[in-house]
Amino acid sequence: MNIETLCNNIYEDLDGYISAIESTYMGISFIYETDHWEEHDKRVRLRIECEDVAESTLNIEAGGSFQLVTEHPILDEYTGESGTLFFSSKPNNPYEVIGSLYTAHESYFKGWRNLSKYLNTNIPITDLLNSGNGSLASAPIPILELYKNALSELLNVNIIKSHNNESGFKMLIVENTYVVCKRFNVRYC
């Protein structure tokens, strides 16, 4: 069985959950226990091996449906270009800048990633903004463009591209957790 077939068959009413997670030399693997999707009186255990793992929030007892995606805000970090957002003016109200950044960030990520992941946190954000210039955030370019658009009326901002990220990553979403990796192997255990 492949991961696409598994994703098409696993749904919330099957009473499935992750019962074990372990590190492997290739990445991580986890055991998923669930009622069988065709034989509802039969319970099955599946080992899902994730190779070349970039990031994971999987946890014991996460369950429900599986969703495999190749486009998601989390995946921006692993595909395309990244860079830094710089500013070169002092805002009238630093808290308005922070609020605009937060609103733009949440509208895109919808709770999947904290704003602090990308912000320059070397000094308090209000001190940074009151300094009148500096590096505001480092992130994938689509996220920086979002931030730039949200701040264009409040600050002079520009983006400097820094590097290209790898490609080929996929994201498996299990309930409200996920794993980002390049390959999945599925087998009964």
Side-chain angles (χ1 to χ4, degrees):
M1 172 183 314
N2 62 34
I3 194 67
E4 292 82 5
T5 301
L6 182 62
C7 289
N8 288 333
N9 287 305
I10 297 293
Y11 55 93
E12 194 153 340
D13 291 343
L14 293 177
D15 195 29
Y17 63 94
I18 295 174
S19 62
I21 301 171
E22 64 182 10
S23 294
T24 67
Y25 70 96
M26 297 294 286
I28 64 171
S29 72
F30 64 96
I31 304 295
Y32 193 77
E33 298 186 29
T34 183
D35 292 340
H36 196 279
W37 44 93
E38 292 174 348
E39 302 171 45
H40 299 293
D41 58 339
K42 182 179 176 184
R43 193 101 178 128
V44 292
R45 293 182 71 208
L46 302 158
R47 176 178 296 277
I48 295 106
E49 296 170 340
C50 311
E51 297 178 11
D52 292 329
V53 174
E55 177 178 353
S56 176
T57 64
L58 294 176
N59 61 56
I60 299 293
E61 297 186 7
S65 62
F66 277 34
Q67 184 181 6
L68 184 66
V69 296
T70 55
E71 291 184 19
H72 190 279
I74 295 291
L75 287 172
D76 286 347
E77 196 159 327
Y78 305 103
T79 59
E81 295 180 306
S82 286
T84 302
L85 179 68
F86 291 93
F87 70 102
S88 59
S89 61
K90 192 173 179 179
N92 292 330
N93 182 348
Y95 298 104
E96 184 179 11
V97 171
I98 296 165
S100 294
L101 271 174
Y102 181 80
T103 300
H105 182 87
E106 284 303 308
S107 73
Y108 188 68
F109 280 99
K110 298 178 180 18
W112 284 99
R113 175 89 74 212
N114 290 327
L115 175 61
S116 61
K117 167 98 172 141
Y118 301 119
L119 282 186
N120 177 352
T121 58
N122 291 329
I123 63 173
I125 190 75
T126 53
D127 292 349
L128 176 64
L129 290 168
N130 285 326
S131 75
N133 64 63
S135 163
L136 190 56
S138 293
I141 296 300
I143 297 162
L144 295 179
E145 291 288 348
L146 182 75
Y147 294 170
K148 181 180 177 181
N149 292 337
L151 300 177
S152 64
E153 307 264 328
L154 304 172
L155 288 173
N156 293 329
V157 290
N158 64 11
I159 297 170
I160 305 294
K161 295 178 182 176
S162 60
H163 65 279
N164 283 323
N165 299 302
E166 288 187 50
S167 60
F169 285 98
K170 301 173 189 173
M171 181 172 161
L172 177 65
I173 301 170
V174 182
E175 196 173 21
N176 60 351
T177 68
Y178 62 87
V179 59
V180 174
C181 68
K182 289 192 174 182
R183 284 174 299 288
F184 296 94
N185 297 308
V186 180
R187 60 188 163 107
Y188 287 96
C189 56

